[in-house]
C-alpha cells in the first residue's frame, strides 16, 4: 500500500475543497509519498515525541488532525518545535499528512463522531456548505431528554474532561444538542436559530458566554477533549484500504493544557 493511495482515500472521504480558507490541510511533508507505507501513526497534534514514536513503531506516515505547518515557515533552523519536527520527519523519511477543517466538515467526520459519542440521532448540519456535501457543526437529538446537571456530568464523563465550563442557563431539560469540535463558538447564533437546547464546543471564550442565559446552555469542553476521538475517524477510513496495514493511535498525550 503506497502512501499516496492512503492520501487519496482520505481526500475522497474529506475533500480538501471542504477546508476553510485559512487552513492548510493536506500533505505537509511528502518526500516519501510514493513509498510503500510501512505503518501509519494517528494523532491530534504532531510533536517531536510523536515522531519519535513513529520511528520506534516503524511508521513512515503520520496522519494528524491539526496541521504541523499551519502558519508560514520562512526558515528551518530548529528554533521551535515546528521546525524541529520538520527536520526530524525529513531525516527519518516520514511523510506527514493533515486532515483538519475538511475532516470537521465531512459527513461522518469529526463532528459526526462527537455526535456518535453522545448517541445523537437525526443529525443535520448547523451550517451546510454548498460544495462537496459537507457543513459546519451538527445538531441532533438525545435518545431521552436529560436534566441539565445530569447532561453536564454525562458530557464530562464521555469526553474525560478535566472540567466543563458552562453558562447559567435558566432552562432545565436538554433534548436537542448542537455541537462543533475545536473552536466552534462562531456557530452559537446558528445553533440557537435551529432550536438547540445546548451548544457544545471546545473553545468559547469569556465574552461569548454572555447573553444566552435565557436561550441556550453553552458548554465548553476544551479543544483537545472535543476532538480526541478524531483518530477513530481516520482509522476507520484507512483500514478500509488494507486490513493488514499497521495503523496505530499515538500513546503520546499532546494536550498542552493541564488541570489541577
Amino acid at each position: 500500500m503506497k502512501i499516496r493511495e492512503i492520501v487519496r482515500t482520505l481526500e475522497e472521504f474529506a475533500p480538501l475543497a471542504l477546508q476553510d480558507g485559512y487552513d492548510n490541510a493536506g500533505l505537509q511533508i511528502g518526500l516519501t509519498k510514493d513509498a510503500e507505507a510501512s505503518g501509519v501513526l494517528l494523532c491530534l497534534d504532531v510533536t517531536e515525541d510523536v515522531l519519535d514514536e513513529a520511528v520506534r513503531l516503524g511508521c513512515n506516515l503520520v496522519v494528524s488532525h491539526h496541521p504541523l505547518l499551519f502558519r508560514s515557515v520562512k526558515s528551518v533552523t530548529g528554533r521551535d518545535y515546528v521546525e524541529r519536527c520538520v527536520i526530524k520527519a525529513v531525516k527519518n523519511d516520514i511523510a506527514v499528512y493533515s486532515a483538519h477543517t475538511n475532516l470537521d466538515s465531512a459527513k461522518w467526520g469529526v463532528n459526526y463522531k462527537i455526535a456518535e459519542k453522545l448517541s445523537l440521532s437525526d443529525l443535520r448540519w448547523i451550517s451546510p456548505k454548498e460544495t462537496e456535501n459537507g457543513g459546519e457543526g451538527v445538531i441532533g437529538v438525545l435518545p431521552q431528554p436529560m436534566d441539565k446537571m445530569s447532561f453536564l456530568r454525562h458530557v464530562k464523563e464521555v469526553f474525560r474532561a478535566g472540567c466543563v465550563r458552562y453558562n447559567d442557563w435558566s432552562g432545565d431539560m436538554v433534548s436537542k444538542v448542537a455541537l462543533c469540535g475545536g473552536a466552534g463558538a462562531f456557530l452559537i447564533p446558528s445553533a440557537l436559530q435551529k432550536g438547540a437546547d445546548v451548544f457544545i464546543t471546545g473553545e468559547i471564550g469569556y465574552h461569548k458566554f454572555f447573553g444566552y442565559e435565557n436561550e441556550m446552555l453553552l458548554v465548553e469542553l476544551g479543544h483537545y477533549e472535543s476532538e480526541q476521538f478524531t483518530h477513530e475517524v481516520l482509522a476507520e477510513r484507512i483500514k478500509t484500504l488494507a486490513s493488514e496495514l499497521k495503523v496505530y493511535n499515538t500513546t503520546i498525550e499532546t494536550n498542552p493544557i493541564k488541570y489541577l
Side-chain angles (χ1 to χ4, degrees):
M1 177 63 58
K2 292 188 180 295
I3 288 176
R4 56 181 164 80
E5 294 178 274
I6 297 172
V7 167
R8 183 170 62 246
T9 294
L10 290 172
E11 292 183 357
E12 286 172 354
F13 175 68
L16 293 180
L18 284 177
Q19 71 178 312
D20 294 333
Y22 64 83
D23 202 4
N24 189 38
L27 193 62
Q28 304 268 296
I29 299 171
L31 297 180
T32 56
K33 67 179 181 179
D34 291 323
E36 291 290 325
S38 59
V40 184
L41 182 61
L42 308 176
C43 61
L44 198 61
D45 309 282
V46 180
T47 66
E48 293 170 85
D49 287 341
V50 168
L51 290 170
D52 286 338
E53 184 180 29
V55 172
R56 288 195 304 272
L57 293 170
C59 297
N60 62 351
L61 175 61
V62 170
V63 178
S64 71
H65 183 44
H66 296 141
L68 172 64
L69 299 175
F70 187 68
R71 297 175 179 85
S72 61
V73 175
K74 296 184 178 181
S75 63
V76 181
T77 62
R79 63 181 174 178
D80 59 29
Y81 90 93
V82 172
E83 293 181 13
R84 291 192 295 273
C85 283
V86 171
I87 293 169
K88 182 164 290 193
V90 172
K91 280 185 173 181
N92 290 280
D93 291 329
I94 296 173
V96 177
Y97 184 88
S98 169
H100 192 210
T101 53
N102 55 316
L103 193 61
D104 292 331
S105 296
K107 192 170 185 179
W108 309 115
V110 175
N111 290 316
Y112 270 69
K113 179 59 68 174
I114 298 171
E116 176 189 311
K117 296 297 179 180
L118 293 172
S119 301
L120 302 185
S121 61
D122 191 25
L123 299 182
R124 294 171 290 132
W125 297 116
I126 295 175
S127 179
K129 289 188 173 180
E130 294 180 0
T131 61
E132 303 288 351
N133 190 30
E136 295 176 313
V138 297
I139 185 168
V141 181
L142 288 169
Q144 297 291 335
M146 301 177 70
D147 68 82
K148 176 173 65 177
M149 294 311 299
S150 294
F151 177 75
L152 288 170
R153 284 190 287 269
H154 176 62
V155 169
K156 182 177 181 181
E157 179 181 2
V158 168
F159 292 92
R160 302 187 294 271
C163 70
V164 171
R165 307 205 306 176
Y166 59 97
N167 67 337
D168 189 21
W169 182 49
S170 61
D172 180 42
M173 300 299 292
V174 173
S175 179
K176 187 176 288 188
V177 179
L179 59 88
C180 180
F186 67 97
L187 287 172
I188 291 174
S190 298
L192 180 61
Q193 187 177 40
K194 289 186 179 295
D197 301 311
V198 58
F199 179 76
I200 304 172
T201 191
E203 297 179 40
I204 292 177
Y206 179 82
H207 293 287
K208 291 180 180 177
F209 271 100
F210 284 100
Y212 295 93
E213 297 82 5
N214 297 317
E215 305 287 347
M216 184 169 61
L217 177 63
L218 301 179
V219 181
E220 183 184 79
L221 284 177
H223 197 119
Y224 178 92
E225 288 80 2
S226 72
E227 296 180 333
Q228 64 186 290
F229 301 112
T230 301
H231 66 85
E232 295 182 15
V233 180
L234 295 169
E236 288 162 6
R237 304 315 305 174
I238 293 172
K239 287 179 179 178
T240 61
L241 271 175
S243 58
E244 71 278 6
L245 181 65
K246 294 178 180 178
V247 180
Y248 304 92
N249 299 322
T250 184
T251 60
I252 306 300
E253 170 64 73
T254 62
N255 188 357
I257 299 172
K258 306 302 177 187
Y259 300 97
L260 180 63

